[in-house]
Amino acid sequence: MTAPVDELDPVRAELLRAARAAADATLDQARADAADTLLAARTAAETVLARARRLGEADGAKEAGRERVRAAQDAWEAELAVRAEVYAALRAGVRASVRRALAREGAMARSHLADVARAALGPQAVVRAAAQGGVTAEVPGRRVDLSADALADAAVDRLGVRAETLWGPP
């Protein structure tokens, strides 16, 4: 006896393949952008540190120490800003990819997502198409968001601490 064939397996597989390919491309670009920006921030920090050393020689070790702290704080602030930009670009790229994949699959994807929503909320759920793709569903007191953006955000959020690999060496 063979297992029943789920007609949505090819759709799921294609959505996963497209999302993974888009995420890989976005991650590669994000890593390259992060490396370039971090190099620039570190170079700027080294310049500030060199200035701090000169000030320290002229004004004493106490002032130089304060300048080094400021330089390190400035460099850290710049690095955090870059990380936020890269993370936002990753999220935006994944959202766009999921929207394209859902648009490509059209009614078949909406039907599958509606089935998933009804499975979560029950057959009485009111299911509506989401503006950017996907669906939302509601019953009194409960709501399921299977919109393209919600699905993409959930995928990015599942990266968790693995997102730190964006800032490290490839």
Side-chain angles (χ1 to χ4, degrees):
M1 181 170 182
T2 62
V5 176
D6 185 352
E7 295 178 10
L8 293 177
D9 279 349
V11 172
R12 275 192 287 277
E14 178 56 26
L15 283 172
L16 281 172
R17 186 207 61 74
R20 285 183 180 131
D24 287 346
T26 302
L27 281 172
D28 289 344
Q29 183 61 48
R31 284 186 179 120
D33 292 348
D36 291 344
T37 306
L38 288 174
L39 178 61
R42 288 181 179 134
T43 300
E46 289 172 8
T47 301
V48 172
L49 284 172
R51 180 174 170 260
R53 285 186 192 99
R54 287 190 305 276
L55 286 173
E57 292 168 5
D59 298 332
K62 187 174 183 180
E63 181 60 31
R66 278 184 273 199
E67 188 65 25
R68 277 194 297 277
V69 167
R70 278 192 294 271
Q73 289 170 336
D74 290 346
W76 181 240
E77 182 180 329
E79 185 172 335
L80 289 177
V82 169
R83 287 182 181 199
E85 287 175 21
V86 170
Y87 194 75
L90 170 65
R91 185 174 297 275
V94 172
R95 280 183 166 192
S97 295
V98 171
R99 288 178 193 153
R100 281 192 304 271
L102 288 176
R104 198 173 39 250
E105 297 303 323
M108 183 183 242
R110 272 189 309 280
S111 174
H112 174 68
L113 290 172
D115 291 344
V116 170
R118 284 188 189 96
L121 296 178
Q124 73 282 11
V126 177
V127 178
R128 292 181 182 88
Q132 299 293 328
V135 300
T136 60
E138 293 183 29
V139 295
R142 293 176 53 207
R143 182 173 192 270
V144 170
D145 187 353
L146 298 175
S147 64
D149 288 352
L151 294 170
D153 289 347
V156 172
D157 292 344
R158 278 193 305 273
L159 282 174
V161 296
R162 291 178 295 172
E164 286 294 316
T165 62
L166 293 171
W167 331 124

